[in-house]
Amino acid sequence: QVQLVESGGGLVQAGGSLRLSCSASGTIFSRNAMGWSRQAPGKQREWVAGITSGGNTDYEDSVKGRFTISRDNAKNTVYLQMNSLKPEDTAVYYCYQAIANWNIRVSNYWGQGTQVTVSS
């Protein structure tokens, strides 16, 4: 079955950067749209970014200009480069496979998440 494993989370100072990685298996990775969502304590899960199989990207407004989603099909890996991090970015970040390239915000499968904590 599809397995998605996130890594790269950690503790970072406000204004700093982190690069999250998501390794996919059990799927034809290059054919699928992928994305990232996050969930902070006491809040609902929030969509963050998505990327189609062709490399087109989309972002939630609060992360535009700061986060960059990318993919390496040869490595079956999707990345989320996070710059200019803010305390409000603190959350568990989840990688997901989207249901379709035309609907990249809706997940079909997802991983168990990686914690990102941004200190002030």
Side-chain angles (χ1 to χ4, degrees):
Q1 73 276 23
V2 176
Q3 287 189 307
L4 303 171
V5 181
E6 302 93 336
S7 62
L11 176 64
V12 66
Q13 188 178 42
S17 299
L18 281 175
R19 182 180 175 87
L20 305 184
S21 298
C22 172
S23 178
S25 62
T27 182
I28 305 175
F29 181 81
S30 63
R31 299 183 183 179
N32 294 310
M34 303 293 295
W36 293 89
S37 61
R38 65 187 180 185
Q39 187 167 25
K43 295 185 177 181
Q44 65 180 2
R45 196 166 177 174
E46 176 187 44
W47 173 78
V48 175
I51 183 168
T52 68
S53 61
N56 298 116
T57 60
D58 195 16
Y59 300 91
E60 192 273 326
D61 287 343
S62 70
V63 308
K64 286 182 179 177
R66 299 189 297 120
F67 291 10
T68 302
I69 187 171
S70 62
R71 65 192 298 156
D72 186 338
N73 289 342
K75 296 181 178 180
N76 284 4
T77 302
V78 61
Y79 304 95
L80 186 67
Q81 178 67 47
M82 304 185 294
N83 299 324
S84 301
L85 283 162
K86 304 174 181 179
E88 51 262 45
D89 294 318
T90 295
V92 177
Y93 283 71
Y94 299 90
C95 172
Y96 68 86
Q97 177 182 288
I99 60 169
N101 275 285
W102 49 267
N103 194 1
I104 63 174
R105 300 191 184 196
V106 179
S107 63
N108 194 353
Y109 300 94
W110 56 90
Q112 62 283 332
T114 185
Q115 176 71 48
V116 172
T117 303
V118 184
S119 65
S120 59

